[in-house]
Amino acid sequence: MAASLPRAPVSSSSAAASPGSRALLLRRRGGGPGRCAGVTAAAAPGWRRRGARPFQAVSVAARSAGSTPGEVAVDPKVEAILNSVKWDSKGLAVAIAQNVDTGAILMQGFANKEALSTTISTRKATFYSRSRSSLWTKGETSMNFINVHDIFLDCDRDSIIYLGKPDGPTCHTGAETCYYTSVYDALQGSKPNQDRQVATTLYSLEDTISRRKEEIVSEGSGKPSWTKKLMLDKQLLCSKINEEAGELNQTLLENEDESRTMNEMGDLLYHAMVLLRVKGVKMEQVLEVLRKRFSQSGIEEKAGRNKS
Amino acid sequence: MAASLPRAPVSSSSAAASPGSRALLLRRRGGGPGRCAGVTAAAAPGWRRRGARPFQAVSVAARSAGSTPGEVAVDPKVEAILNSVKWDSKGLAVAIAQNVDTGAILMQGFANKEALSTTISTRKATFYSRSRSSLWTKGETSMNFINVHDIFLDCDRDSIIYLGKPDGPTCHTGAETCYYTSVYDALQGSKPNQDRQVATTLYSLEDTISRRKEEIVSEGSGKPSWTKKLMLDKQLLCSKINEEAGELNQTLLENEDESRTMNEMGDLLYHAMVLLRVKGVKMEQVLEVLRKRFSQSGIEEKAGRNKS
């Protein structure tokens, strides 16, 4: 991205505010509520921990009585947050979008005050485009919004994480994330490949299992592989899952050491993920189920319902 | 971090290179191999997918015959990578360090050519400190290095992920990551709390389970909770794990729909994670076990050994 001077990120108009109001007034593009009009904080499910409720008091639509059209009152608490960020000399801070369920880093851009304020209120990941010198809500063209569940600042307050759930692929190329060029692969002579996404351990394992499935389809059984053998024999796969669950339990009941527990859990997870692949289910979907239980009645309530 | 003009990131000295050499020469601090001396690419296990081998040909120690002391020859392939990055007007690009096992974003800094080159060769996450105008290898003071397993560039080639395993807490405050200030918590009046780390779904679940364990210790049994009940009754916990494994299998054997599979896997994962907590084992340790199986003999070989 080409660096260029952004327009002044915040145009305050204290004269227009009602007397005594501490509200910061932000002027939005076109004077309206922006391209995310109609998307409210309440529409996005909150990702909550430790009893925190989703913050809904901040509203881009809530104009102070004395403000002029096109100006939006920002809650003083939001103003305090915005002012606590160490914006650089261009009024920007790094903003990283991360998938709340998988942890995948989806993209990285920059935010100015207005972009962060908009993200806080609309819960759609919004950036400041340095090349276009304008606010940019990811998904405003592709409709692949990133629905923000929480926002984190770093210890220096100059770096921001938008933790959210993407509606679809994030990269303009159609790839799931923008990071698909491995430096070490390139040094081995490989060309960038959108299938070679940056992936942490769980998703690399899932990817490996998926490739075994593809090999079965494309080559018949092909090169021998334990994963393929499991996929082709449902009874074997299920008996292994039962066996690994039993061995995990045994580490508790017989007070085996921690390393046994780690290994048996690894075995159980791997075999269960083979079953997921056979069923066409992704770990991300499983994690989404768990997250939604949290935010509805809680995992414990769900797990205990009619079972205890 | 205060923005300041970095020193010229790369001091090339073509005169010192052997005739015809395309090597880029980088001058390192103090003329030596840096504070990470002795740490070689070979020391860090490679995180590999799709048959890629860890790249070991790039060596900071491998000086070209004609170079002067303090200058280091960089492999032409590395040079090509370095030149493909869209460095900004200050010679910098954003560099994000991510935990290869958990996906946690550990910290974000900036890299210049020399920092990226050093990271490629030493496999220790290295940044350019704008405030100190110098190269900075994370861990050079604290010894909490971030051991880089792979490096990814984004589609625009102006953003870098260092995917690695931290030796210890990354933040200078002692927190696991630098991101522990939730904007929505702050808007509710909560003060930043290092225990309130940015966390994706799996680790939020793990955190919730851990808090139930702490409640048992601090309050006796306290408020009723399914998680606590499981933790206090090993037989119940193990019977639930067996039951959930059986229900997951049933979705395959009886061809139930995908949503049943997602839910049963969620149940199994939750109950197994309660057992992990009772045993004092973290998901990160389980994932590390799985990753190491990949890079040694492969998950399939391990899983199938003596079992098929």
Side-chain angles (χ1 to χ4, degrees):
Chain A
M1 286 183 279
S4 61
L5 275 174
R7 62 178 172 165
V10 175
S11 57
S12 63
S13 172
S14 57
S18 54
S21 166
R22 292 177 58 235
L24 176 69
L25 297 174
L26 300 181
R27 189 180 301 276
R28 294 188 57 85
R29 286 170 306 178
R35 298 192 204 177
C36 287
V39 179
T40 66
W47 171 238
R48 309 190 294 264
R49 298 200 317 163
R50 309 206 173 193
R53 287 166 300 162
F55 189 81
Q56 301 188 5
V58 190
S59 171
V60 168
R63 299 177 184 190
S64 67
S67 66
T68 55
E71 290 176 331
V72 177
V74 173
D75 185 287
K77 285 182 185 170
V78 175
E79 186 184 343
I81 292 275
L82 297 175
N83 288 334
S84 78
V85 176
K86 288 187 191 158
W87 306 103
D88 71 10
S89 59
K90 294 179 179 173
L92 303 175
V94 167
I96 303 160
Q98 185 179 28
N99 185 317
V100 64
D101 288 328
T102 66
I105 297 175
L106 301 169
M107 60 166 286
Q108 176 259 309
F110 291 85
N112 61 5
K113 267 191 181 180
E114 193 178 1
L116 178 56
S117 174
T118 301
T119 304
I120 291 171
S121 59
T122 64
R123 289 187 181 254
K124 301 286 174 187
T126 301
F127 302 87
Y128 179 82
S129 166
R130 296 178 303 171
S131 57
R132 288 181 282 164
S133 301
S134 66
L135 217 63
W136 171 61
T137 297
K138 166 65 197 160
E140 62 188 14
T141 304
S142 66
M143 303 308 290
N144 289 333
F145 294 98
I146 298 172
N147 304 289
V148 172
H149 293 203
D150 210 341
I151 301 170
F152 281 80
L153 304 177
D154 79 342
C155 53
D156 289 332
R157 298 225 169 199
D158 62 1
S159 184
I160 303 165
I161 293 176
Y162 292 156
L163 190 66
K165 190 76 178 175
D167 282 333
T170 293
C171 187
H172 72 285
T173 61
E176 188 182 334
T177 84
C178 295
Y179 299 88
Y180 51 81
T181 302
S182 158
V183 165
Y184 292 108
D185 278 6
L187 291 173
Q188 300 281 350
S190 300
K191 292 225 161 83
N193 173 0
Q194 290 180 22
D195 291 337
R196 175 69 168 98
Q197 286 283 327
V198 62
T200 51
T201 298
L202 196 61
Y203 304 94
S204 289
L205 174 55
E206 185 172 62
D207 185 58
T208 298
I209 292 169
S210 280
R211 278 183 284 117
R212 296 293 171 268
K213 175 78 175 169
E214 289 160 18
E215 286 168 15
I216 291 174
V217 173
S218 63
E219 309 164 18
S221 60
K223 190 180 160 193
S225 137
W226 176 245
T227 303
K228 289 184 200 173
K229 188 170 180 178
L230 291 169
M231 285 179 168
L232 293 168
D233 186 341
K234 290 181 183 180
Q235 292 295 342
L236 173 64
L237 175 55
C238 292
S239 73
K240 289 299 301 177
I241 290 173
N242 280 330
E243 181 185 320
E244 299 301 346
E247 289 181 2
L248 177 65
N249 286 338
Q250 187 180 315
T251 71
L252 177 65
L253 297 174
E254 300 190 12
N255 203 26
E256 293 175 349
D257 67 22
E258 290 177 17
S259 69
R260 282 278 298 160
T261 306
M262 288 171 214
N263 275 283
E264 296 304 339
M265 180 64 182
D267 286 340
L268 177 59
L269 195 52
Y270 158 72
H271 285 91
M273 286 174 72
V274 175
L275 185 147
L276 291 188
R277 183 62 194 86
V278 174
K279 290 289 292 179
V281 170
K282 298 197 122 195
M283 271 306 293
E284 181 170 3
Q285 295 173 292
V286 174
L287 292 167
E288 189 169 355
V289 164
L290 286 170
R291 174 168 49 79
K292 287 181 174 170
R293 285 189 200 169
F294 264 95
S295 58
Q296 286 167 3
S297 58
I299 178 73
E300 298 166 293
E301 285 69 22
K302 164 65 183 68
R305 204 178 303 152
N306 304 322
K307 288 188 176 179
S308 57
Chain B
M1 286 184 278
S4 60
L5 277 174
R7 63 177 173 167
V10 175
S11 57
S12 62
S13 174
S14 57
S18 54
S21 166
R22 293 178 56 237
L24 175 69
L25 296 173
L26 300 180
R27 188 180 302 276
R28 294 189 54 86
R29 284 171 308 178
R35 299 191 203 178
C36 289
V39 178
T40 66
W47 171 237
R48 310 190 294 264
R49 300 200 317 160
R50 309 204 173 197
R53 286 166 303 162
F55 189 84
Q56 302 189 4
V58 189
S59 172
V60 169
R63 299 179 183 190
S64 67
S67 65
T68 56
E71 288 175 335
V72 177
V74 173
D75 185 287
K77 287 182 184 170
V78 175
E79 185 184 346
I81 292 275
L82 297 175
N83 288 334
S84 78
V85 176
K86 288 186 190 158
W87 307 102
D88 71 9
S89 60
K90 294 179 179 173
L92 303 175
V94 167
I96 303 161
Q98 184 179 30
N99 185 317
V100 64
D101 288 328
T102 67
I105 298 175
L106 301 168
M107 61 166 287
Q108 176 259 309
F110 291 85
N112 61 5
K113 268 191 180 180
E114 191 178 2
L116 178 56
S117 173
T118 301
T119 304
I120 290 171
S121 59
T122 64
R123 290 189 180 251
K124 302 285 175 187
T126 302
F127 302 87
Y128 178 83
S129 167
R130 297 177 304 169
S131 57
R132 287 180 282 164
S133 301
S134 65
L135 217 63
W136 170 62
T137 296
K138 166 64 196 162
E140 61 187 15
T141 305
S142 66
M143 302 308 289
N144 290 333
F145 294 98
I146 298 172
N147 305 288
V148 172
H149 293 205
D150 209 340
I151 301 170
F152 281 81
L153 304 177
D154 78 342
C155 53
D156 289 333
R157 299 224 168 200
D158 61 0
S159 184
I160 303 164
I161 294 177
Y162 291 157
L163 190 66
K165 190 75 179 176
D167 282 333
T170 294
C171 187
H172 71 286
T173 62
E176 187 182 335
T177 85
C178 295
Y179 298 88
Y180 51 80
T181 302
S182 158
V183 165
Y184 292 108
D185 279 6
L187 291 173
Q188 299 282 350
S190 300
K191 293 225 161 81
N193 173 0
Q194 290 179 22
D195 291 337
R196 175 69 168 99
Q197 285 283 327
V198 62
T200 51
T201 297
L202 196 62
Y203 303 94
S204 289
L205 174 56
E206 185 172 63
D207 185 57
T208 299
I209 293 168
S210 280
R211 278 183 284 119
R212 297 293 171 268
K213 176 78 174 169
E214 289 161 18
E215 286 168 16
I216 291 174
V217 173
S218 62
E219 309 164 19
S221 60
K223 191 179 158 194
S225 137
W226 176 246
T227 304
K228 288 184 199 172
K229 189 170 179 177
L230 291 168
M231 285 179 168
L232 292 168
D233 186 341
K234 290 181 184 180
Q235 292 294 342
L236 173 64
L237 175 55
C238 292
S239 72
K240 288 300 300 178
I241 289 173
N242 280 331
E243 181 185 319
E244 300 301 347
E247 290 180 3
L248 177 65
N249 286 338
Q250 188 180 314
T251 72
L252 177 66
L253 297 174
E254 300 190 11
N255 203 24
E256 294 176 348
D257 67 21
E258 290 178 15
S259 69
R260 283 278 298 162
T261 306
M262 289 171 213
N263 275 283
E264 295 305 339
M265 181 64 183
D267 286 341
L268 177 58
L269 196 52
Y270 158 72
H271 285 91
M273 286 175 73
V274 174
L275 185 147
L276 291 188
R277 183 61 194 84
V278 173
K279 290 289 293 179
V281 169
K282 298 198 123 197
M283 271 306 293
E284 181 171 2
Q285 294 173 294
V286 174
L287 292 167
E288 188 169 356
V289 164
L290 286 171
R291 174 169 49 80
K292 287 181 174 171
R293 284 189 201 170
F294 265 95
S295 58
Q296 286 167 4
S297 58
I299 177 74
E300 299 165 292
E301 286 68 21
K302 165 64 183 67
R305 205 177 303 152
N306 305 321
K307 289 187 175 179
S308 54

